[in-house]
Amino acid sequence: MDNKKASANNSVKEPTQASAPPPAQPAAPATPAAASARKTNGVAIAAIILAILFPLVGLILGIVALSQIKKSGEGGKGLAVASIVISIVIMIGGLLIVWGAFFAIQNAAKKAGVDVGNGSVSVKGNNGESLSVGGNVKIPDDFPSNVPIYKPSDAVAALKTNNGYNVTLATNDSAQKVSDFYKSQLPANGWTSENTDISVSGGTITSYTQGDKQLVLTITTDQNGSSGKKTGINLTVTNNTNAQ
């Protein structure tokens, strides 16, 4: 009998102790969304801001920004392209306004000491700056000789500042013929292309550098009544803001 009780007692199992849960692992820190986002190019931001206030500066900075973005992979390409388009639209619109008001301001311009003659208006500043617009504009004598002037063409606007030049030409030759001319002549004159043609509404933009100088070539095409398509050429030469 005692053996049976002992056997029964031995068969009773001690309750197993519940194992403690493993310690919780600390959660990995969340990566901020900004860390994975591409940095926006600072020049592109400046270009879109200045495009409205100073179209020429906005145009140049937009070209510089596109060149930097292509090399660095930064964001902001849309801003750079937008600044280029806005700058060109404002610049062309400004020239049209000046052209439309030309005949109305001739008498007032003469009284103000502005030279009006040969179908153009010329204004000179105290520090050598000059602006000429009209149908028979004279290109500044010291315009860089290594930037060829397309022939045949008419100079319709010429601007000289302390930082460079801006010349607008018009020709009845095709935009493709003009483009082929500059693609051949500019490298022959020591200019290096920074990018392929950038297409904008009604034309293309190409940027070149030579030493501490930058050239922005804009070629546009517009309908010119019965004479067919007329091509506009804009040559902007400035100090190269991206030069080392």
Side-chain angles (χ1 to χ4, degrees), residues 62-165:
I63 297 293
V64 172
L66 282 179
S67 176
Q68 292 181 351
I69 289 169
K70 183 178 179 182
K71 296 175 183 177
S72 67
E74 293 176 306
K77 181 177 180 180
L79 294 177
V81 173
S83 69
I84 292 171
V85 174
I86 291 172
S87 298
I88 291 176
V89 170
I90 292 177
M91 289 171 67
I92 293 176
L95 288 175
L96 291 177
I97 292 173
V98 172
W99 176 258
F102 169 68
F103 294 104
I105 65 172
Q106 280 189 346
N107 292 333
K110 288 180 179 179
K111 293 179 181 180
V114 178
D115 182 21
V116 180
N118 297 323
S120 65
V121 174
S122 298
V123 181
K124 292 185 178 181
N126 295 330
N127 298 317
E129 308 95 331
S130 65
L131 170 65
S132 298
V133 293
N136 190 17
V137 168
K138 183 178 183 297
I139 296 174
D141 293 333
D142 52 356
F143 184 78
S145 59
N146 58 355
V147 180
I149 301 298
Y150 186 83
K151 299 294 182 182
S153 68
D154 297 323
V156 297
L159 171 67
K160 175 184 176 181
T161 68
N162 293 330
N163 192 46
Y165 305 84

Side-chain angles (χ1 to χ4, degrees), residues 229-243:
K229 291 184 176 181
K230 188 151 187 172
T231 301
I233 308 165
N234 187 275
L235 301 164
T236 301
V237 184
T238 60
N239 291 327
N240 183 9
T241 57
N242 199 33

Side-chain angles (χ1 to χ4, degrees), residues 2-29:
D2 292 338
N3 290 337
K4 289 182 179 181
K5 289 182 179 180
S7 176
N9 290 335
N10 291 335
S11 65
V12 177
K13 296 181 179 178
E14 293 183 1
T16 56
Q17 213 174 20
S19 57
Q25 297 295 325

Side-chain angles (χ1 to χ4, degrees), residues 185-211:
Q185 293 299 312
L186 288 175
N189 281 275
W191 292 93
T192 302
S193 175
E194 281 195 326
N195 55 271
T196 56
D197 294 343
I198 300 171
S199 296
V200 295
S201 178
T204 59
I205 301 174
T206 311
S207 129
Y208 295 83
T209 57
Q210 183 183 106

